Amino acid sequence: MTELRDLTHITCVPEQRSRRDKALQQQVRSFLPELDQLERLLAEAPPQFSANVIGHSCVAEHRLPLYQVKVGNAAPESPVLLLVGGVHGLERIGSRVVMEWLRTLSKRLQWDQHLSALLDRVQLVAIPLLNPGGMLLNQRGNPAGVDLMRNAPIAAQDPSTFMLGGQRLSPYLPWYMGKPGQPMEPENIALQAVIDELLTNRPFSLSLDCHSGFGWQDQLWFPYAYRRRPMRKLDSVFALKLLWEQAYPHHNYVIEPQSRHYLTHGDLWDYFYKRHNRRGAGNYIPLTLEMGSWRWIRKRPRQLLKLEGLFNPLVPHRLQRVLRSHLTLFNFLLEATAQHENWLPHGSHAQTLRQAAIRHWYPYETEF
Ligand SMILES: [Zn+2]
């Protein structure tokens, strides 16, 4: 890993074809097993799956592909569920849970007509590894040291948490936002292009970005992170929460606005959500899954000796538990997205739900 860090000043060269380069590429990939797992999964997937490369992450002379996986109905009138993982290079478990579900779907599609029928009504798009360069380097930010979740052009309206809320001091410190006035990093530009192309003017779209590293419990966060006041479509999020809790009353997720925990500059999903609404591009709910990694550390404090131990379950049986524990949620989100007409609130029902949501999540706020 150290040798790779030392090479990061070298420009990414597009074509590397010599035998030595291929060997080096293999060596590099041994630090990034998630990429091989994803490519193997795609190679074995049924014909309903398609994949393409939406960009690259460069580490020294190595170009690492950003894969987009699609399955389901691609018609413009279909709703879309977008799953993202690996935004933070240290949070490998986020990529693993997304790939685990893709693997489940690819195997089930070979015999499950119910699933095929469901996917006729919805499109699933997944970007399991948004920051392969950061993952290869075993660091939170991308190869330039930028924290992709602090890199969007949106500033916190209230005082943000020192450092954690985003900083411009140094790419060698965590939560680096990038240089002021620069465009977003290539990984985020690629993600924005996917959102613009696939989520625009759909009847409904929902995204889930999978992270780990904060809290004792698994949490589902929704905007905003840049301000404490509620988001525009709060009624839709509350309706989804009720739907989930009525169907799965013993679930373990805490569903809250991110601003309940901390405010940040540059939050990617705040930015995409506001941009989507500004363009009048349809009903969209962005969610972030924050897997509570502190309990993994409490059960095995030795994990603190390794940087990745702060963010990932390292004991095999715990890893297996995490990989299987989110499948119900992912299946639910796919069903809920496909059948959004049956639960999305409208008119006075939406207003009632919004008021209930404000009492529930913003008890000290007056209506805005
Ligand atoms: Zn994260």
Side-chain angles (χ1 to χ4, degrees), residues 20 50 74 94 105 149 170 232 235 260 293 298 311 336 350 365:
R20 180 189 160 276
S50 68
L105 295 180
M149 280 297 276
S170 166
R232 187 190 294 184
D235 52 283
R260 273 208 160 184
S293 62
R298 183 178 57 192
F311 301 94
E365 303 278 351

Side-chain angles (χ1 to χ4, degrees), residues 88 91 140 149 211-212 290:
H88 289 138
E91 299 165 18
R140 177 183 172 91
M149 280 297 276
H211 291 252
S212 62
E290 187 70 44

